[in-house]
Amino acid sequence: MFSFPSFSTILILFLTKIPSFPSQPTPFSSRLLDSTLQDHAFQSFPHHRSKTGTIYTGNVPVNLTGITISALRLRSGSLRKRGYNGYKEFNIPKGIVENPYVKRVILVYHNLGNWSQVYYPLPGFLYLTPVVGLLGYNADNMTAKGLPELDLRAPEDPIVIKFETLKVLGNGYSPVCVFFDLFGGVVFDHVLNGSVCSCVTQGHVGIVVESSPAPVPAPAPEHVPEYPIAGGDGGGGRGGRNRGWWVGGSVAGGVLLAALVVVLVLWVRWCRGTKRIEKMTVAADHGVPLAVAAVGRAEVPVAMSTRTKPILESEYVT
Ligand SMILES: *[C@@H]1O[C@H](CO)[C@@H](O)[C@H](O)[C@H]1NC(C)=O
Ligand SMILES: *[C@@H]1O[C@H](CO)[C@@H](O)[C@H](O)[C@H]1NC(C)=O
Ligand SMILES: *[C@@H]1O[C@H](CO)[C@@H](O)[C@H](O)[C@H]1NC(C)=O
Ligand SMILES: *[C@@H]1O[C@H](CO)[C@@H](O)[C@H](O)[C@H]1NC(C)=O
């Protein structure tokens, strides 16, 4: 008997064709944000006698409330020789090199708080931590705006990021580290010691968990509760916090809806073809070779228009 290939098989075929996570064009450009935050972090240094090796806290524009930034100025030589332990979540190892070489660097720290999901949307994932970032700049001109980042690398030991707060989920969830470089690249990695990530270049890091198990119709879809981002220390209204998830949710929802529409169209076509395929099944029983065409990744027999019309079983029965 002909049986319709499982609905979920087709769904999965289509879902796997959705490109994973390239840097989607969003109205919230993370690079524009980097630039804005560089400018504001530099302004946090006292105009006279600002010290190297001291962490200064910056102010963000009102419309970015929820993000926190800091700036730390270090001599390149000292950074390379000693690293810097405990710059917020970041433990910077010794051996860091910057390119081009500068005498002093300013390391700008970002904690995107409730904006993490907005600037670094990851459809299908929930953030268990805020996204934090570390970017290096030339310290020569403390009033410079729109500075390009230096190319910072940790060729010996990796930069280690220790998150203090991590939303704890029930069993069955496996948190992963996600690292965003400055060029739109996204890398997933294991979480170490429960809440530690590492990276070898500058960029942004967070811990995420997959939020949407494969949306198969049956069994009943698992209910995944929405967890707010583990916000730094800011209070923040619940409504505001949930908005980030809402944006991510609607993106994921849109993708899913598109996939479903495609599947539905296929399904209708498939149903129309069922009768024809039944004919071919009969033909196959009688030893007539069948043409095979690729539908998705499954090979399905397809009737050739030139082939002689097969005799239907029903014609004998009735
Ligand atoms: C914040 O306001 C500035 C103007 O003060 C504007 O240029 C910028 O685009 C705004 N950013 C966001 C994320 O709304
Ligand atoms: C520093 O940057 C500011 C703003 O871009 C610029 O006006 C100024 O000339 C620069 N100073 C030096 C010494 O390059
Ligand atoms: C993980 O924890 C162990 C024991 O507390 C410690 O020795 C190790 O350095 C930690 N690793 C990281 C990457 O923090
Ligand atoms: C984050 O929280 C602040 C208040 O703490 C709010 O003003 C801001 O709109 C929130 N941002 C987002 C993206 O929800």
Side-chain angles (χ1 to χ4, degrees), residues 170-191:
N171 289 335
Y173 292 97
S174 19
V176 284
C177 293
V178 58
F179 172 77
F180 302 91
D181 68 21
L182 300 184
F183 312 99
V186 183
V187 178
F188 290 92
D189 201 356
H190 297 294
V191 177

Side-chain angles (χ1 to χ4, degrees), residues 33-267:
L33 180 71
D34 291 343
S35 177
T36 305
L37 297 183
Q38 177 265 310
D39 179 15
H40 283 78
F42 273 44
Q43 288 170 23
S44 64
F45 288 100
H47 284 297
H48 301 287
R49 309 278 321 146
S50 69
K51 291 186 242 162
T52 53
T54 299
I55 298 170
Y56 293 98
T57 301
N59 295 313
V60 294
V62 179
N63 59 3
L64 291 175
T65 302
I67 295 179
T68 58
I69 54 171
S70 297
L72 168 66
R73 191 165 54 126
L74 293 172
R75 295 173 59 89
S76 254
S78 147
L79 177 61
R80 185 171 307 188
K81 223 183 286 169
R82 289 193 282 274
Y84 195 99
N85 242 9
Y87 182 19
K88 306 288 183 179
E89 286 87 353
F90 290 86
N91 283 341
I92 303 162
K94 60 182 180 354
I96 293 272
V97 288
E98 81 274 359
N99 186 22
Y101 173 80
V102 294
K103 233 172 112 187
R104 289 186 179 80
V105 293
I106 289 178
L107 297 176
V108 173
Y109 164 85
H110 303 166
N111 182 323
L112 298 195
N114 60 342
W115 293 85
S116 302
Q117 176 74 24
V118 175
Y119 280 98
Y120 292 92
L122 267 189
F125 290 87
L126 296 179
Y127 278 104
L128 304 184
T129 65
V131 167
V132 296
L134 183 73
L135 304 180
Y137 299 92
N138 186 350
D140 270 1
N141 185 350
M142 305 277 282
T143 59
K145 291 173 193 281
L147 268 187
E149 286 81 14
L150 300 167
D151 181 17
L152 275 196
R153 280 173 196 284
E156 296 171 18
D157 299 320
I159 299 168
V160 171
I161 303 103
K162 289 189 171 144
F163 289 98
E164 279 171 16
T165 52
L166 176 71
K167 287 280 156 190
V168 179
L169 300 184
N171 289 335
Y173 292 97
S174 19
V176 284
C177 293
V178 58
F179 172 77
F180 302 91
D181 68 21
L182 300 184
F183 312 99
V186 183
V187 178
F188 290 92
D189 201 356
H190 297 294
V191 177
L192 309 167
N193 278 5
S195 64
V196 176
C197 297
S198 65
C199 60
V200 294
T201 63
Q202 63 192 335
H204 291 82
V205 185
I207 295 181
V208 294
V209 74
E210 235 175 312
S211 63
S212 43
V216 177
E222 203 179 333
H223 176 68
V224 179
E226 290 194 348
Y227 288 84
I229 298 163
D233 28 30
R238 279 201 79 77
R241 285 182 174 206
N242 287 339
R243 207 170 311 142
W245 298 120
W246 167 237
V247 171
S250 37
V251 169
V255 169
L256 190 61
L257 197 70
L260 279 175
V261 166
V262 173
V263 167
L264 205 66
V265 168
L266 244 211
W267 185 67

